[in-house]
């Protein structure tokens, strides 16, 4: 079993840190989506966090795990997850966290702790499963395939999720995907449609409208549009895929026609 564990340490630790990273991305998106109505700078967070998590795994996780005796008491609940949570904060501070020490953005240290805590919990569950360890020992394909997990997560979260459930994904996506959802959603509506349905399709985007009445116009790279609504009815909707075309808002049409 020792040889099996030695073979499994690398791939299972990578799988554990990948799952922990993916869950932290979802957590950040949900937290920002609930608190702020949208996940700001999520694309930047995904890109840079993936780089730093990979560096952390290569230098601060993979090498120490190869030397640690997995039969020791530290590899038990809750000692190991709490230890890896604290360790993650230390590693994060060494790599980049020192930049945030004098800022008010202290939440990044809690995110680092969360990733470490999740990593420790997941890794411990994987390494203590004799069935999983055996499969890793016997199959080079199983050991190699774990490198596909981050890509799989990215495809599922950033491609399939917004494609199948755009309304649910809208608040939780990077800006470029949000723009694509808007671009795909606006043309599905027309003058006379219920504005309530458009609000549901793009949750939070029309939060400045009051009682189903208001107006907005936007130019999103290769897509421009204008929407005006009154009493939860769309009274004006125009869009164009010509980035040079700009639609003006014709006054507050809803003010001229107050709801009964």
């Amino acid at each position: 079993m020792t040889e099996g564990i030695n073979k499994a340490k690398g791939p299972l630790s990578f799988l554990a840190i990948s799952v922990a990273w993916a869950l932290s991305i979802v957590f950040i998106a949900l937290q920002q989506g609930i608190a702020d109505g949208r996940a700001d700078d999520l694309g930047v967070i995904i890109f840079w966090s993936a780089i730093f998590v990979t560096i952390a795994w290569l230098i601060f996780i993979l090498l120490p795990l190869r030397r640690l005796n997995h039969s020791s008491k530290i590899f038990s609940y809750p000692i190991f997850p709490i230890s890896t949570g604290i360790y993650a904060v230390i590693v994060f501070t060494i790599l980049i966290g020192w930049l945030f020490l004098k800022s008010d953005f202290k939440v990044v240290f809690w995110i680092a702790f969360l990733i470490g805590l999740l990593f420790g919990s997941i890794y411990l569950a994987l390494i203590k499963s004799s069935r999983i360890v055996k499969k890793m020992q016997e199959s080079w394909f199983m050991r190699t395939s774990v490198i596909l997990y981050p890509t799989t997560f990215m495809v599922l979260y950033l491609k399939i999720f917004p494609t199948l459930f755009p309304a649910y994904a809208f608040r939780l996506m990077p800006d470029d995907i949000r723009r694509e959802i808007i671009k795909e959603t606006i043309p599905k509506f027309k003058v006379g449609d219920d504005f309530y349905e458009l609000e549901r399709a793009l949750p939070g985007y029309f939060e400045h409208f009051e009682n189903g009445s208001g107006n907005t116009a936007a130019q999103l790279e290769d897509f421009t549009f204008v929407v005006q609504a009154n009493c939860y009815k769309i009274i004006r909707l125009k869009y164009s895929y010509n980035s040079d075309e700009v639609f003006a808002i014709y006054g507050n049409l809803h003010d001229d026609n107050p709801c009964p």
Side-chain angles (χ1 to χ4, degrees):
M1 179 61 72
T2 301
E3 180 184 358
I5 290 179
N6 287 335
K7 283 186 176 182
K9 287 178 183 179
L12 289 185
S13 65
F14 183 80
L15 179 59
I17 196 65
S18 297
V19 174
W21 167 76
L23 290 175
S24 72
I25 293 299
V26 174
F27 172 81
I28 292 171
L30 286 171
Q31 186 272 327
Q32 291 188 346
I34 293 171
D36 305 324
R38 57 182 293 179
D40 289 322
D41 299 323
L42 187 63
V44 175
I45 292 172
I46 291 174
F47 177 78
W48 286 108
S49 65
I51 291 177
F52 285 113
V53 163
T54 302
I55 294 173
W57 174 74
L58 286 170
I59 299 176
F60 296 96
I61 296 178
L62 184 60
L63 295 178
L65 280 180
R66 290 186 181 277
R67 298 178 178 276
L68 290 175
N69 179 6
H70 282 49
S71 299
S72 65
K73 291 183 178 181
I74 192 174
F75 286 92
S76 60
Y77 294 103
I79 298 175
F80 189 66
I82 293 176
S83 300
T84 52
I86 297 172
Y87 184 58
V89 175
I90 297 172
V91 170
F92 173 74
T93 303
I94 293 172
L95 289 177
I96 194 174
W98 54 272
L99 292 172
F100 299 94
L101 289 175
K102 295 184 179 180
S103 73
D104 294 329
F105 200 56
K106 296 295 194 299
V107 68
V108 291
F109 294 98
W110 286 106
I111 297 299
F113 179 78
L114 175 64
I115 293 176
L117 187 70
L118 289 170
F119 165 77
S121 301
I122 296 167
Y123 181 73
L124 203 56
L126 293 172
I127 211 72
K128 286 186 175 296
S129 171
S130 58
R131 182 173 63 88
I132 292 176
V133 171
K134 183 178 180 181
K135 284 186 177 182
M136 286 293 172
Q137 178 186 14
E138 296 175 346
S139 174
W140 66 267
F141 176 77
M142 288 289 293
R143 294 194 296 272
T144 306
S145 63
V146 297
I147 65 175
L148 299 176
Y149 181 84
T151 303
T152 302
F153 165 73
M154 296 287 282
V155 171
L156 289 173
Y157 186 72
L158 299 179
K159 295 295 183 182
I160 296 178
F161 179 37
T163 298
L164 296 180
F165 308 102
Y168 292 102
F170 186 67
R171 293 179 183 266
L172 312 177
M173 290 293 114
D175 291 341
D176 57 333
I177 298 179
R178 282 169 53 87
R179 288 193 293 267
E180 287 301 313
I181 294 175
I182 293 171
K183 181 179 174 181
E184 295 294 326
T185 301
I186 294 294
K188 295 178 181 179
F189 292 84
K190 63 183 184 301
V191 172
D193 286 348
D194 288 338
F195 178 67
Y196 177 72
E197 294 299 325
L198 180 55
E199 274 191 315
R200 288 206 310 172
L202 300 173
Y205 191 71
F206 301 100
E207 60 184 5
H208 59 287
F209 282 49
E210 296 182 3
N211 299 320
S213 298
N215 51 58
T216 190
Q219 187 172 7
L220 308 173
E221 295 181 353
D222 59 344
F223 185 71
T224 61
F225 71 92
V226 61
V227 172
Q228 294 184 260
N230 185 54
C231 304
Y232 285 101
K233 286 291 181 181
I234 299 174
I235 58 176
R236 183 168 180 249
L237 188 153
K238 288 184 176 293
Y239 62 89
S240 173
Y241 296 98
N242 182 355
S243 59
D244 294 329
E245 186 170 3
V246 178
F247 295 109
I249 295 175
Y250 297 151
N252 294 329
L253 300 182
H254 53 283
D255 289 343
D256 299 330
N257 300 277
C259 297

